[in-house]
Amino acid sequence: MIPAPPTPLRQAPPDEGNAALSPEPRRRRLDRLTLGREVGAVLLAALALLVAIGAILGYGAARQAAYGEMRATVTTATTLLAQDEAVLAGVRADDPAAALAARADAARVAAGLDWVVVMDLDGTRWTHPDPERIGGQYLGHIEEARDGGIVVEEYEGTLGPSLRAVRPVLDEDGQVVALVAAGIRISAIHASVTPRLLALVAVSATALLLGMGAAWWVRGRLDREAGGLGRHAILRTLAQHEALLRSVRAGYVLVDPDGRVELCNDEARDLLGLEGEVSGVPIKELGLEPGLADLMASGRESEAEIHVAHDRDIVVAQVPEVHGRQRLGWVTTLADHTEMIRMTGVVSSQQTLIDALRARAHEADNRLHTIVVLVELGEYERAVEFATNTLRDAHASAERLQEAVHEPALVALLAGKASQAQERGVELRLDRLVVPATGMPAEDLVVIVGNLVDNAIDAAAEGEEPRWVELRGRRAGPGEGPWPEGVWPGGARPALGAPSEQFLLEVADSGPGLPEELVEQAFTRGWSSKPPRPDSEGWRGLGLTLVRTAVARLGGSIDVRREHGATFTVALPLGSAVEATCSPADAPKEVSG
């Protein structure tokens, strides 16, 4: 139904209601907040945030630079000491500790290091700033240096956490005879950042002061240009006007006596597929369907007429606007007819499940009748054996289906479809079907799978033997297309937990196939290759239309190609569970054959 135009709101008298709850004080406060003040505050807040972020990043860069400098210092110092002939000679002396003490201390002072340690290959110290530590075991990793490499690390030693480097001392033959380590305490690195931090604070404060001055100037300029009005005061009338238009839950088009658009709300733009500015444009130039364009341009009164616009059905009502004897124009109201199509899909999904359950019930009835006859004939053992085998086969089939299909509605559907196919002499192959838990609406999945399988069974039943319908399903990464041959060699199934972004479903049959020139036509409402049946009045030609609509709601796509017969491939995005608000106009247009 098309909603009626909104009734005017009654203006409450000044003394009606509780004056304490009146919004007037809040409105006055908002009016005092001028546009210049609001923009200035926003600019100032943004500037303060940028300055704070810049200060934090600057401090991080300064700290990183300090670390880089200290790393270069310890690395260079150990390199020079490891290549120093005096160090090599001290290592070879009878008392390395005494021979190396002066050289190590001089290098420490010259390079601004906190400590320099020359050690044996087992880590025994020969030098240390603290004489009591000489002869002790070096704290840190030296394995890579013993092998001829260099070690640079942060490690907590005898003087606290420090940034250190370790290099090997090589003799004339290139053999490692000792190790040299040098380090700077982490606290000293932090202290070196302080002068840079002070400079950064000074620059940030200066930038903030300049920004405050700029924000003050912008505030004054905007207040002068806007006449001292606030944003709420400027937009109040426009907001009320927009609210009235949006309160009409339908498209709303006002047309002047010359057949030109005066007003068109967002819903009408969407329903009619209009883009850009349309005010003042003649109705005939909007590119609408001829029937709809003639109605809207004529101004004649109409009620609940069905027309096509932008590839979807809409309900159109039109009322002339008359003042006295003067015709001022007319109002056209548009409503989407999509919801009826969606409900048709829901009914179709329920009908599909009912048909599947009816087939299962018919099969169970036949088996029960067989058991009853065997009991009546006195064949008790054969009756028990038949019942046991039937239950075992049904249980095994259900378990296999539940392991592969993680959507309960589809499990029930496919169990029934297997019985329907068997009744019509068609083999339903599910060995290559794996359906993950998609999170998509069950009715949409039932519509898609049920209608595709029904069409495939009908097509296979009309073909030559062997008659079969095969369902294939799997998770797939982005951009993966239709089924490659041999993707599951030997029938092996991929793991359900494998990362993917879409669910690919294929329904193939052994029927005569769908000619390429009929692919696009097959998805239009009312088209069917099947002869009409008395019990299917109103339902023929809806299956693929409902499939296309459901796929579009889920944000997927459909592809049609020919193998033995027709093969329909549906790609649905996983994890998104697109909200089912899409209309038939949003259905995939790139259906290919």
mmCIF file of all heavy atoms in Angstrom, residues 26-47 214-224 226 228-236:
data_model
loop_
_atom_site.group_PDB
_atom_site.id
_atom_site.type_symbol
_atom_site.label_atom_id
_atom_site.label_comp_id
_atom_site.label_asym_id
_atom_site.label_seq_id
_atom_site.Cartn_x
_atom_site.Cartn_y
_atom_site.Cartn_z
ATOM 1 N N ARG A 26 17.699 24.825 25.711
ATOM 2 C CA ARG A 26 18.738 24.150 24.925
ATOM 3 C C ARG A 26 18.850 24.795 23.542
ATOM 4 O O ARG A 26 19.951 24.979 23.020
ATOM 5 C CB ARG A 26 18.399 22.668 24.793
ATOM 6 C CG ARG A 26 19.292 21.928 23.819
ATOM 7 C CD ARG A 26 18.967 20.455 23.778
ATOM 8 N NE ARG A 26 19.652 19.798 22.688
ATOM 9 C CZ ARG A 26 20.916 19.427 22.703
ATOM 10 N NH1 ARG A 26 21.658 19.665 23.760
ATOM 11 N NH2 ARG A 26 21.459 18.822 21.671
ATOM 12 N N ARG A 27 17.712 25.142 22.933
ATOM 13 C CA ARG A 27 17.747 25.766 21.613
ATOM 14 C C ARG A 27 18.479 27.112 21.687
ATOM 15 O O ARG A 27 19.248 27.454 20.802
ATOM 16 C CB ARG A 27 16.326 25.950 21.089
ATOM 17 C CG ARG A 27 16.264 26.643 19.745
ATOM 18 C CD ARG A 27 14.845 26.706 19.217
ATOM 19 N NE ARG A 27 14.332 25.373 18.958
ATOM 20 C CZ ARG A 27 13.088 25.140 18.525
ATOM 21 N NH1 ARG A 27 12.246 26.142 18.339
ATOM 22 N NH2 ARG A 27 12.689 23.901 18.304
ATOM 23 N N ARG A 28 18.215 27.874 22.752
ATOM 24 C CA ARG A 28 18.896 29.168 22.877
ATOM 25 C C ARG A 28 20.399 28.983 23.047
ATOM 26 O O ARG A 28 21.194 29.739 22.504
ATOM 27 C CB ARG A 28 18.304 29.953 24.058
ATOM 28 C CG ARG A 28 16.919 30.536 23.780
ATOM 29 C CD ARG A 28 16.562 31.587 24.803
ATOM 30 N NE ARG A 28 16.454 31.026 26.136
ATOM 31 C CZ ARG A 28 15.325 30.557 26.665
ATOM 32 N NH1 ARG A 28 14.208 30.582 25.960
ATOM 33 N NH2 ARG A 28 15.296 30.076 27.890
ATOM 34 N N ARG A 29 20.773 27.942 23.801
ATOM 35 C CA ARG A 29 22.209 27.688 23.966
ATOM 36 C C ARG A 29 22.845 27.334 22.633
ATOM 37 O O ARG A 29 23.957 27.766 22.321
ATOM 38 C CB ARG A 29 22.429 26.563 24.977
ATOM 39 C CG ARG A 29 22.158 26.958 26.421
ATOM 40 C CD ARG A 29 22.761 25.952 27.375
ATOM 41 N NE ARG A 29 22.256 24.606 27.154
ATOM 42 C CZ ARG A 29 21.175 24.114 27.749
ATOM 43 N NH1 ARG A 29 20.477 24.875 28.587
ATOM 44 N NH2 ARG A 29 20.791 22.882 27.516
ATOM 45 N N LEU A 30 22.132 26.528 21.828
ATOM 46 C CA LEU A 30 22.675 26.164 20.524
ATOM 47 C C LEU A 30 22.746 27.370 19.596
ATOM 48 O O LEU A 30 23.680 27.497 18.798
ATOM 49 C CB LEU A 30 21.811 25.070 19.889
ATOM 50 C CG LEU A 30 21.857 23.696 20.584
ATOM 51 C CD1 LEU A 30 20.887 22.739 19.925
ATOM 52 C CD2 LEU A 30 23.260 23.131 20.580
ATOM 53 N N ASP A 31 21.757 28.275 19.705
ATOM 54 C CA ASP A 31 21.771 29.456 18.856
ATOM 55 C C ASP A 31 22.929 30.377 19.222
ATOM 56 O O ASP A 31 23.486 31.068 18.362
ATOM 57 C CB ASP A 31 20.446 30.207 18.976
ATOM 58 C CG ASP A 31 19.313 29.463 18.263
ATOM 59 O OD1 ASP A 31 19.638 28.574 17.450
ATOM 60 O OD2 ASP A 31 18.143 29.759 18.530
ATOM 61 N N ARG A 32 23.290 30.414 20.521
ATOM 62 C CA ARG A 32 24.419 31.253 20.932
ATOM 63 C C ARG A 32 25.752 30.694 20.438
ATOM 64 O O ARG A 32 26.734 31.425 20.347
ATOM 65 C CB ARG A 32 24.441 31.392 22.458
ATOM 66 C CG ARG A 32 23.365 32.330 23.004
ATOM 67 C CD ARG A 32 23.689 32.740 24.425
ATOM 68 N NE ARG A 32 23.705 31.608 25.326
ATOM 69 C CZ ARG A 32 22.642 31.167 26.006
ATOM 70 N NH1 ARG A 32 21.476 31.773 25.867
ATOM 71 N NH2 ARG A 32 22.741 30.133 26.809
ATOM 72 N N LEU A 33 25.771 29.387 20.153
ATOM 73 C CA LEU A 33 26.991 28.782 19.609
ATOM 74 C C LEU A 33 27.043 29.111 18.125
ATOM 75 O O LEU A 33 26.510 28.396 17.289
ATOM 76 C CB LEU A 33 26.978 27.267 19.828
ATOM 77 C CG LEU A 33 28.220 26.495 19.369
ATOM 78 C CD1 LEU A 33 29.457 26.983 20.120
ATOM 79 C CD2 LEU A 33 28.028 25.005 19.570
ATOM 80 N N THR A 34 27.711 30.225 17.803
ATOM 81 C CA THR A 34 27.742 30.679 16.421
ATOM 82 C C THR A 34 28.578 29.745 15.569
ATOM 83 O O THR A 34 29.360 28.929 16.076
ATOM 84 C CB THR A 34 28.312 32.097 16.339
ATOM 85 O OG1 THR A 34 29.687 32.061 16.753
ATOM 86 C CG2 THR A 34 27.544 33.062 17.222
ATOM 87 N N LEU A 35 28.399 29.890 14.264
ATOM 88 C CA LEU A 35 29.151 29.051 13.333
ATOM 89 C C LEU A 35 30.643 29.287 13.468
ATOM 90 O O LEU A 35 31.445 28.353 13.408
ATOM 91 C CB LEU A 35 28.677 29.342 11.902
ATOM 92 C CG LEU A 35 29.265 28.464 10.807
ATOM 93 C CD1 LEU A 35 28.878 27.012 11.018
ATOM 94 C CD2 LEU A 35 28.814 28.941 9.442
ATOM 95 N N GLY A 36 31.047 30.555 13.679
ATOM 96 C CA GLY A 36 32.469 30.855 13.834
ATOM 97 C C GLY A 36 33.059 30.214 15.070
ATOM 98 O O GLY A 36 34.166 29.677 15.043
ATOM 99 N N ARG A 37 32.313 30.271 16.186
ATOM 100 C CA ARG A 37 32.814 29.640 17.413
ATOM 101 C C ARG A 37 32.956 28.136 17.239
ATOM 102 O O ARG A 37 33.935 27.537 17.684
ATOM 103 C CB ARG A 37 31.858 29.939 18.566
ATOM 104 C CG ARG A 37 31.881 31.395 19.037
ATOM 105 C CD ARG A 37 30.909 31.588 20.183
ATOM 106 N NE ARG A 37 30.911 32.961 20.651
ATOM 107 C CZ ARG A 37 30.129 33.407 21.633
ATOM 108 N NH1 ARG A 37 29.276 32.587 22.214
ATOM 109 N NH2 ARG A 37 30.191 34.676 22.005
ATOM 110 N N GLU A 38 31.961 27.513 16.615
ATOM 111 C CA GLU A 38 32.005 26.060 16.450
ATOM 112 C C GLU A 38 33.162 25.634 15.553
ATOM 113 O O GLU A 38 33.910 24.706 15.879
ATOM 114 C CB GLU A 38 30.678 25.582 15.859
ATOM 115 C CG GLU A 38 30.520 24.079 15.869
ATOM 116 C CD GLU A 38 29.130 23.634 15.511
ATOM 117 O OE1 GLU A 38 28.252 24.502 15.341
ATOM 118 O OE2 GLU A 38 28.913 22.404 15.399
ATOM 119 N N VAL A 39 33.328 26.333 14.423
ATOM 120 C CA VAL A 39 34.424 25.982 13.518
ATOM 121 C C VAL A 39 35.768 26.278 14.170
ATOM 122 O O VAL A 39 36.732 25.508 14.048
ATOM 123 C CB VAL A 39 34.276 26.741 12.185
ATOM 124 C CG1 VAL A 39 35.497 26.527 11.305
ATOM 125 C CG2 VAL A 39 33.024 26.282 11.447
ATOM 126 N N GLY A 40 35.869 27.411 14.883
ATOM 127 C CA GLY A 40 37.122 27.733 15.564
ATOM 128 C C GLY A 40 37.490 26.690 16.601
ATOM 129 O O GLY A 40 38.661 26.308 16.725
ATOM 130 N N ALA A 41 36.479 26.211 17.360
ATOM 131 C CA ALA A 41 36.759 25.183 18.359
ATOM 132 C C ALA A 41 37.227 23.885 17.705
ATOM 133 O O ALA A 41 38.155 23.228 18.196
ATOM 134 C CB ALA A 41 35.510 24.935 19.206
ATOM 135 N N VAL A 42 36.587 23.543 16.607
ATOM 136 C CA VAL A 42 36.989 22.322 15.906
ATOM 137 C C VAL A 42 38.413 22.451 15.371
ATOM 138 O O VAL A 42 39.237 21.527 15.481
ATOM 139 C CB VAL A 42 35.997 21.996 14.770
ATOM 140 C CG1 VAL A 42 36.521 20.857 13.901
ATOM 141 C CG2 VAL A 42 34.638 21.634 15.339
ATOM 142 N N LEU A 43 38.732 23.615 14.772
ATOM 143 C CA LEU A 43 40.082 23.823 14.257
ATOM 144 C C LEU A 43 41.111 23.758 15.367
ATOM 145 O O LEU A 43 42.193 23.164 15.202
ATOM 146 C CB LEU A 43 40.159 25.175 13.537
ATOM 147 C CG LEU A 43 39.446 25.274 12.183
ATOM 148 C CD1 LEU A 43 39.536 26.697 11.646
ATOM 149 C CD2 LEU A 43 40.066 24.294 11.189
ATOM 150 N N LEU A 44 40.789 24.392 16.506
ATOM 151 C CA LEU A 44 41.734 24.390 17.614
ATOM 152 C C LEU A 44 41.951 22.981 18.156
ATOM 153 O O LEU A 44 43.086 22.582 18.449
ATOM 154 C CB LEU A 44 41.217 25.313 18.723
ATOM 155 C CG LEU A 44 42.192 25.589 19.875
ATOM 156 C CD1 LEU A 44 43.477 26.213 19.353
ATOM 157 C CD2 LEU A 44 41.544 26.499 20.913
ATOM 158 N N ALA A 45 40.852 22.223 18.284
ATOM 159 C CA ALA A 45 40.993 20.849 18.770
ATOM 160 C C ALA A 45 41.803 20.002 17.796
ATOM 161 O O ALA A 45 42.667 19.210 18.206
ATOM 162 C CB ALA A 45 39.604 20.231 18.975
ATOM 163 N N ALA A 46 41.541 20.185 16.495
ATOM 164 C CA ALA A 46 42.294 19.426 15.496
ATOM 165 C C ALA A 46 43.776 19.802 15.523
ATOM 166 O O ALA A 46 44.654 18.935 15.419
ATOM 167 C CB ALA A 46 41.706 19.668 14.103
ATOM 168 N N LEU A 47 44.050 21.111 15.686
ATOM 169 C CA LEU A 47 45.441 21.546 15.734
ATOM 170 C C LEU A 47 46.140 20.986 16.961
ATOM 171 O O LEU A 47 47.295 20.533 16.882
ATOM 172 C CB LEU A 47 45.492 23.076 15.739
ATOM 173 C CG LEU A 47 46.895 23.699 15.811
ATOM 174 C CD1 LEU A 47 47.707 23.305 14.584
ATOM 175 C CD2 LEU A 47 46.798 25.213 15.923
ATOM 176 N N ALA A 214 45.296 31.673 14.430
ATOM 177 C CA ALA A 214 44.616 31.434 13.159
ATOM 178 C C ALA A 214 43.160 31.036 13.381
ATOM 179 O O ALA A 214 42.255 31.478 12.664
ATOM 180 C CB ALA A 214 45.348 30.341 12.374
ATOM 181 N N ALA A 215 42.901 30.186 14.407
ATOM 182 C CA ALA A 215 41.532 29.778 14.699
ATOM 183 C C ALA A 215 40.687 30.971 15.131
ATOM 184 O O ALA A 215 39.504 31.085 14.782
ATOM 185 C CB ALA A 215 41.528 28.690 15.778
ATOM 186 N N TRP A 216 41.272 31.883 15.922
ATOM 187 C CA TRP A 216 40.544 33.089 16.345
ATOM 188 C C TRP A 216 40.180 33.948 15.136
ATOM 189 O O TRP A 216 39.074 34.478 15.059
ATOM 190 C CB TRP A 216 41.397 33.866 17.340
ATOM 191 C CG TRP A 216 40.695 35.048 17.931
ATOM 192 C CD1 TRP A 216 40.692 36.332 17.478
ATOM 193 C CD2 TRP A 216 39.860 35.038 19.088
ATOM 194 N NE1 TRP A 216 39.924 37.134 18.267
ATOM 195 C CE2 TRP A 216 39.386 36.355 19.273
ATOM 196 C CE3 TRP A 216 39.470 34.047 19.990
ATOM 197 C CZ2 TRP A 216 38.560 36.710 20.320
ATOM 198 C CZ3 TRP A 216 38.647 34.394 21.040
ATOM 199 C CH2 TRP A 216 38.192 35.715 21.192
ATOM 200 N N TRP A 217 41.104 34.081 14.176
ATOM 201 C CA TRP A 217 40.822 34.876 12.978
ATOM 202 C C TRP A 217 39.710 34.235 12.142
ATOM 203 O O TRP A 217 38.816 34.917 11.648
ATOM 204 C CB TRP A 217 42.093 35.018 12.147
ATOM 205 C CG TRP A 217 41.890 35.798 10.882
ATOM 206 C CD1 TRP A 217 41.921 37.149 10.736
ATOM 207 C CD2 TRP A 217 41.597 35.258 9.587
ATOM 208 N NE1 TRP A 217 41.667 37.504 9.438
ATOM 209 C CE2 TRP A 217 41.460 36.365 8.700
ATOM 210 C CE3 TRP A 217 41.443 33.981 9.094
ATOM 211 C CZ2 TRP A 217 41.190 36.207 7.358
ATOM 212 C CZ3 TRP A 217 41.164 33.814 7.753
ATOM 213 C CH2 TRP A 217 41.042 34.921 6.895
ATOM 214 N N VAL A 218 39.761 32.895 11.991
ATOM 215 C CA VAL A 218 38.735 32.185 11.227
ATOM 216 C C VAL A 218 37.370 32.353 11.894
ATOM 217 O O VAL A 218 36.351 32.566 11.235
ATOM 218 C CB VAL A 218 39.093 30.693 11.099
ATOM 219 C CG1 VAL A 218 37.921 29.892 10.544
ATOM 220 C CG2 VAL A 218 40.304 30.525 10.191
ATOM 221 N N ARG A 219 37.343 32.280 13.232
ATOM 222 C CA ARG A 219 36.086 32.447 13.956
ATOM 223 C C ARG A 219 35.466 33.813 13.665
ATOM 224 O O ARG A 219 34.280 33.919 13.340
ATOM 225 C CB ARG A 219 36.334 32.292 15.453
ATOM 226 C CG ARG A 219 35.143 32.675 16.293
ATOM 227 C CD ARG A 219 35.502 32.898 17.729
ATOM 228 N NE ARG A 219 34.412 33.543 18.445
ATOM 229 C CZ ARG A 219 34.471 33.900 19.712
ATOM 230 N NH1 ARG A 219 35.582 33.693 20.401
ATOM 231 N NH2 ARG A 219 33.438 34.486 20.297
ATOM 232 N N GLY A 220 36.261 34.874 13.754
ATOM 233 C CA GLY A 220 35.733 36.210 13.492
ATOM 234 C C GLY A 220 35.245 36.364 12.063
ATOM 235 O O GLY A 220 34.186 36.961 11.815
ATOM 236 N N ARG A 221 35.996 35.817 11.104
ATOM 237 C CA ARG A 221 35.621 35.938 9.705
ATOM 238 C C ARG A 221 34.297 35.212 9.429
ATOM 239 O O ARG A 221 33.398 35.746 8.763
ATOM 240 C CB ARG A 221 36.740 35.378 8.820
ATOM 241 C CG ARG A 221 36.450 35.424 7.331
ATOM 242 C CD ARG A 221 36.340 36.854 6.836
ATOM 243 N NE ARG A 221 36.037 36.913 5.422
ATOM 244 C CZ ARG A 221 36.974 36.940 4.460
ATOM 245 N NH1 ARG A 221 38.263 36.937 4.798
ATOM 246 N NH2 ARG A 221 36.626 36.999 3.200
ATOM 247 N N LEU A 222 34.142 34.013 9.961
ATOM 248 C CA LEU A 222 32.914 33.252 9.732
ATOM 249 C C LEU A 222 31.714 33.912 10.408
ATOM 250 O O LEU A 222 30.615 33.931 9.845
ATOM 251 C CB LEU A 222 33.077 31.823 10.251
ATOM 252 C CG LEU A 222 33.864 30.861 9.355
ATOM 253 C CD1 LEU A 222 33.980 29.503 10.017
ATOM 254 C CD2 LEU A 222 33.190 30.711 7.998
ATOM 255 N N ASP A 223 31.913 34.447 11.611
ATOM 256 C CA ASP A 223 30.807 35.117 12.291
ATOM 257 C C ASP A 223 30.327 36.333 11.502
ATOM 258 O O ASP A 223 29.119 36.608 11.429
ATOM 259 C CB ASP A 223 31.237 35.529 13.702
ATOM 260 C CG ASP A 223 31.195 34.355 14.673
ATOM 261 O OD1 ASP A 223 30.558 33.348 14.337
ATOM 262 O OD2 ASP A 223 31.806 34.450 15.757
ATOM 263 N N ARG A 224 31.272 37.054 10.910
ATOM 264 C CA ARG A 224 30.873 38.220 10.102
ATOM 265 C C ARG A 224 30.129 37.771 8.850
ATOM 266 O O ARG A 224 29.116 38.357 8.466
ATOM 267 C CB ARG A 224 32.111 39.047 9.727
ATOM 268 C CG ARG A 224 32.718 39.815 10.887
ATOM 269 C CD ARG A 224 33.735 40.830 10.396
ATOM 270 N NE ARG A 224 34.852 40.188 9.704
ATOM 271 C CZ ARG A 224 35.948 39.751 10.311
ATOM 272 N NH1 ARG A 224 36.070 39.875 11.630
ATOM 273 N NH2 ARG A 224 36.921 39.201 9.626
ATOM 274 N N ALA A 226 28.450 34.958 8.367
ATOM 275 C CA ALA A 226 27.185 34.285 8.665
ATOM 276 C C ALA A 226 26.244 35.156 9.473
ATOM 277 O O ALA A 226 25.177 34.675 9.889
ATOM 278 C CB ALA A 226 27.450 32.984 9.415
ATOM 279 N N GLY A 228 26.547 36.188 12.471
ATOM 280 C CA GLY A 228 26.474 35.800 13.870
ATOM 281 C C GLY A 228 25.519 34.656 14.155
ATOM 282 O O GLY A 228 25.221 34.368 15.316
ATOM 283 N N LEU A 229 25.025 33.969 13.121
ATOM 284 C CA LEU A 229 24.104 32.850 13.318
ATOM 285 C C LEU A 229 24.876 31.553 13.531
ATOM 286 O O LEU A 229 25.989 31.377 13.025
ATOM 287 C CB LEU A 229 23.182 32.693 12.110
ATOM 288 C CG LEU A 229 22.230 33.862 11.833
ATOM 289 C CD1 LEU A 229 21.442 33.585 10.565
ATOM 290 C CD2 LEU A 229 21.296 34.098 13.005
ATOM 291 N N GLY A 230 24.250 30.649 14.270
ATOM 292 C CA GLY A 230 24.858 29.346 14.490
ATOM 293 C C GLY A 230 24.449 28.341 13.442
ATOM 294 O O GLY A 230 23.521 28.560 12.654
ATOM 295 N N ARG A 231 25.158 27.217 13.480
ATOM 296 C CA ARG A 231 24.859 26.167 12.500
ATOM 297 C C ARG A 231 23.431 25.653 12.656
ATOM 298 O O ARG A 231 22.733 25.408 11.681
ATOM 299 C CB ARG A 231 25.849 25.013 12.683
ATOM 300 C CG ARG A 231 25.605 23.818 11.793
ATOM 301 C CD ARG A 231 26.763 22.851 11.872
ATOM 302 N NE ARG A 231 26.999 22.427 13.227
ATOM 303 C CZ ARG A 231 26.458 21.331 13.780
ATOM 304 N NH1 ARG A 231 25.634 20.582 13.068
ATOM 305 N NH2 ARG A 231 26.734 20.982 15.020
ATOM 306 N N HIS A 232 22.972 25.478 13.884
ATOM 307 C CA HIS A 232 21.625 24.962 14.114
ATOM 308 C C HIS A 232 20.566 25.949 13.628
ATOM 309 O O HIS A 232 19.545 25.537 13.067
ATOM 310 C CB HIS A 232 21.434 24.651 15.599
ATOM 311 C CG HIS A 232 22.260 23.509 16.078
ATOM 312 N ND1 HIS A 232 21.868 22.200 15.965
ATOM 313 C CD2 HIS A 232 23.495 23.476 16.662
ATOM 314 C CE1 HIS A 232 22.795 21.402 16.461
ATOM 315 N NE2 HIS A 232 23.799 22.152 16.887
ATOM 316 N N ALA A 233 20.814 27.232 13.847
ATOM 317 C CA ALA A 233 19.834 28.218 13.378
ATOM 318 C C ALA A 233 19.772 28.258 11.857
ATOM 319 O O ALA A 233 18.702 28.401 11.266
ATOM 320 C CB ALA A 233 20.186 29.599 13.933
ATOM 321 N N ILE A 234 20.930 28.132 11.203
ATOM 322 C CA ILE A 234 20.963 28.172 9.738
ATOM 323 C C ILE A 234 20.259 26.962 9.133
ATOM 324 O O ILE A 234 19.522 27.065 8.149
ATOM 325 C CB ILE A 234 22.419 28.247 9.247
ATOM 326 C CG1 ILE A 234 23.065 29.561 9.679
ATOM 327 C CG2 ILE A 234 22.492 28.107 7.738
ATOM 328 C CD1 ILE A 234 24.549 29.628 9.383
ATOM 329 N N LEU A 235 20.461 25.790 9.748
ATOM 330 C CA LEU A 235 19.966 24.556 9.144
ATOM 331 C C LEU A 235 18.586 24.141 9.638
ATOM 332 O O LEU A 235 18.033 23.144 9.152
ATOM 333 C CB LEU A 235 20.951 23.404 9.427
ATOM 334 C CG LEU A 235 22.360 23.561 8.861
ATOM 335 C CD1 LEU A 235 23.222 22.389 9.279
ATOM 336 C CD2 LEU A 235 22.315 23.667 7.348
ATOM 337 N N ARG A 236 18.004 24.877 10.608
ATOM 338 C CA ARG A 236 16.759 24.412 11.212
ATOM 339 C C ARG A 236 15.630 24.283 10.182
ATOM 340 O O ARG A 236 14.945 23.265 10.107
ATOM 341 C CB ARG A 236 16.343 25.351 12.338
ATOM 342 C CG ARG A 236 15.093 24.863 13.088
ATOM 343 C CD ARG A 236 14.764 25.779 14.240
ATOM 344 N NE ARG A 236 15.872 25.823 15.168
ATOM 345 C CZ ARG A 236 16.437 26.939 15.630
ATOM 346 N NH1 ARG A 236 15.982 28.117 15.213
ATOM 347 N NH2 ARG A 236 17.446 26.894 16.465
#
